[in-house]
Amino acid sequence: MAAPKPISWLISHVILDLDGTLLNTDAVVSKVVKSFLVKNGKTWDSKKAHKLVGKTPYEAASIVLEDYGLPYSTEEFLSMITPMFSEQWCNMKPLPGANRLIKHLRRNGVPTALASDSPRSNIEAKISCRQGWKESFSTIVGGDEVQKGKPSPDIFLEAAERMNTTPSNCLVIEDSLPGVTAGKAAGMHVIAVPSVPKKTGEFSTADEVINSLLDVRPENWGLPPFNDWIEGTLPIEPWFISGPVIKGFGRGSKVLGIPTANLPAENFSDVVSEHTSGVYFGWAGLSTRGIYKMVMSIGWNPYFDNTEKTVEPWLLHDFAEDFYGEELRLAIVGYIRPEANFPSLESLIERIHEDGRIAEKALDLPMYAKYKDSPYLRNPLHQGSTTDGSQAELNSM
Ligand code: ADP
Ligand code: RBF
Ligand code: MG
């Protein structure tokens, strides 16, 4: 990850992109395209979904038409599918860290604009479903309010002008390559938060590339720091997953000396894809053994460059034997850091041990310790998901 450039202390204004940066637009795009294809006698191929990420509606439509051999022009297809999207706007979930960032900027009086290529009315409709968002933006600029969309700088220049500031005072946060290009062309500082995993190399023109909004460090830009980090950890809305322990890549114990009790990620792919990859911690319940502290990585293990997103929980306890096939129940309560690559296996191992020490200590804090008593961790009747009763009960805590 590139360190922010030294002149960054000039930042006084922030400009945020909406789709793919604050809102998980891609999940809804997949859902809508899938239902359209099914109605047209085609089968949705989830492996092709990534081709639509970060594309304009026109580009995405052309790709779908070609991939699935549909007999429509791009314009016809767009006119059929656009109303289907509009129905789904309120189903777009905020991306991890989006609510936190917006609230933080507002609470600290940092003037913040929303700048999106979508028409202004669509932006308004999308954010109206999210409590406190509209009031948090000093201005909103839509694609229909400027001459040219991203990668042209127009939209960001217009946002700066409306906020009565100069481009060099602005920090843009963007998930797409055209957006990053637009921000740099406007003479602004740009943090890229790529929506497409493992494609961070393409964003080298950005001043900083981060994995998710949880990793924004406002103080690097001269803005007020977040004050919710506690002993190297960030409390999150807890989430809960469970399943039988399965075989992993067979290298946790062998290569790293750190066994990870893998869970079948496909059983809760929605929950896993909703959460950013990274290192998390929490509590682990094994039905016949007890409840243990746990630290885990979720993602593609950059050091090994895996092709699948895996869930790798390391229980902070010495077990006398393996427990493959046993039901493992996890309450994930905090975040530590993004997944990273390392120059050597030793440095990866050292970092994982440090994660273990951080988790071990943090889990004694009352705010995390209380989840040790979650009914979810013990009750074998609850089936793994975030929508069961024990979750609702915990969320109200
Ligand atoms: P795999 O690649 O099959 O996951 P690992 O080398 O990562 O193999 O070993 C994981 C297995 O080791 C787990 O499935 C579990 O049965 C066992 N195990 C023993 N101690 C632990 C521990 N402290 N945390 C996680 N798994 C452990
Ligand atoms: N793998 C990485 O490539 N990068 C990481 O930053 C990373 N962090 C991890 C943190 C923890 C707490 C654990 C348990 C594992 C982490 N791993 C990471 C995953 C490790 O590579 C994985 O468990 C092994 O590859 C076994 O499949
Ligand atoms: Mg493992």
Side-chain angles (χ1 to χ4, degrees):
M1 246 175 277
K5 300 194 174 133
I7 42 166
S8 51
W9 54 270
L10 288 170
I11 298 305
S12 54
H13 294 67
V14 173
I15 307 179
L16 301 172
D17 169 56
L18 181 61
D19 292 300
T21 300
L22 297 177
L23 287 179
N24 190 346
T25 312
D26 299 318
V28 162
V29 169
S30 298
K31 184 174 162 182
V32 167
V33 171
K34 181 176 174 180
S35 88
F36 184 91
L37 289 172
V38 169
K39 278 189 215 138
N40 282 264
K42 305 276 177 186
T43 316
W44 163 250
D45 179 357
S46 61
K47 290 199 188 73
K48 287 184 181 160
H50 71 94
K51 292 168 94 176
L52 310 180
V53 174
K55 296 290 187 307
T56 65
Y58 195 90
E59 288 165 344
S62 314
I63 293 169
V64 172
L65 290 177
E66 194 181 316
D67 276 0
Y68 293 91
L70 292 165
Y72 305 112
S73 71
T74 308
E75 288 75 14
E76 282 169 338
F77 179 52
L78 277 174
S79 69
M80 289 184 279
I81 206 153
T82 304
M84 297 171 71
F85 280 116
S86 313
E87 283 168 26
Q88 297 294 327
W89 278 334
C90 286
N91 294 334
M92 288 182 192
K93 293 197 176 143
L95 283 157
N99 273 317
R100 169 177 177 254
L101 177 65
I102 292 171
K103 270 194 206 143
H104 176 75
L105 294 170
R106 184 178 185 195
R107 198 177 294 144
N108 288 279
V110 179
T112 302
L114 189 61
S116 161
D117 268 344
S118 310
R120 171 71 183 252
S121 56
N122 294 6
I123 303 173
E124 300 261 0
K126 287 177 198 172
I127 65 170
S128 66
C129 328
R130 312 259 70 106
Q131 211 200 336
W133 283 27
K134 191 170 172 18
E135 310 84 277
S136 299
F137 300 114
S138 9
T139 185
I140 297 172
V141 191
D144 52 347
E145 298 177 78
V146 290
Q147 283 261 304
K148 282 192 257 139
K150 302 168 190 175
S152 155
D154 293 15
I155 208 158
F156 291 133
L157 292 173
E158 175 69 21
E161 202 173 303
R162 289 196 199 166
M163 292 193 289
N164 287 318
T165 189
T166 50
S168 61
N169 291 341
C170 296
L171 176 65
V172 168
I173 307 184
E174 255 293 346
D175 73 304
S176 77
L177 201 49
V180 170
T181 308
K184 291 314 294 176
M188 298 178 178
H189 302 270
V190 180
I191 300 181
V193 202
S195 289
V196 194
K198 311 218 286 177
K199 285 274 166 68
T200 53
E202 292 174 10
F203 290 80
S204 56
T205 53
D207 297 282
E208 189 186 16
V209 184
I210 58 176
N211 181 59
S212 78
L213 295 177
L214 296 176
D215 302 322
V216 173
R217 301 290 170 146
E219 65 277 20
N220 290 352
W221 305 93
L223 293 167
F226 281 110
N227 50 18
D228 49 1
W229 283 92
I230 298 155
E231 299 189 11
T233 68
L234 182 63
I236 55 171
E237 187 71 13
W239 46 292
F240 301 82
I241 50 178
S242 69
V245 173
I246 55 164
K247 285 267 177 199
F249 298 103
R251 65 179 172 229
S253 324
K254 284 195 196 78
V255 180
L256 302 166
I258 300 167
T260 53
N262 297 55
L263 283 179
E266 64 275 12
N267 289 10
F268 30 77
S269 55
D270 286 0
V271 190
V272 169
S273 69
E274 221 176 84
H275 291 87
T276 163
S277 60
V279 178
Y280 295 85
F281 64 95
W283 297 98
L286 280 166
S287 39
T288 60
R289 297 169 191 267
I291 292 177
Y292 308 93
K293 291 176 174 174
M294 176 280 301
V295 64
M296 67 194 267
S297 81
I298 293 188
W300 293 267
N301 304 166
Y303 184 82
F304 298 99
D305 198 21
N306 296 343
T307 51
E308 288 161 67
K309 193 175 188 181
T310 60
V311 178
E312 310 258 353
W314 177 30
L315 279 53
L316 300 171
H317 178 83
D318 280 329
F319 292 90
E321 70 280 306
D322 287 347
F323 42 84
Y324 287 110
E326 289 183 31
E327 170 88 354
L328 173 63
R329 313 181 67 80
L330 303 178
I332 299 146
V333 303
Y335 172 79
I336 299 180
R337 63 174 177 93
E339 282 195 305
N341 204 340
F342 290 85
S344 66
L345 194 60
E346 292 67 41
S347 51
L348 169 63
I349 294 170
E350 179 40 43
R351 181 65 237 216
I352 298 176
H353 281 281
E354 191 187 335
D355 295 329
R357 289 189 294 271
I358 291 172
E360 175 86 51
K361 195 157 169 262
L363 285 163
D364 289 333
L365 296 168
M367 62 185 312
Y368 296 129
K370 67 183 178 193
Y371 293 105
K372 188 180 182 183
D373 301 322
S374 307
Y376 183 88
L377 293 174
R378 293 171 198 278
N379 188 345
L381 294 175
H382 286 294
Q383 278 309 307
S385 90
T386 55
T387 49
D388 67 17
S390 62
Q391 154 101 33
E393 189 183 309
L394 284 164
N395 283 349
S396 63
M397 286 171 92

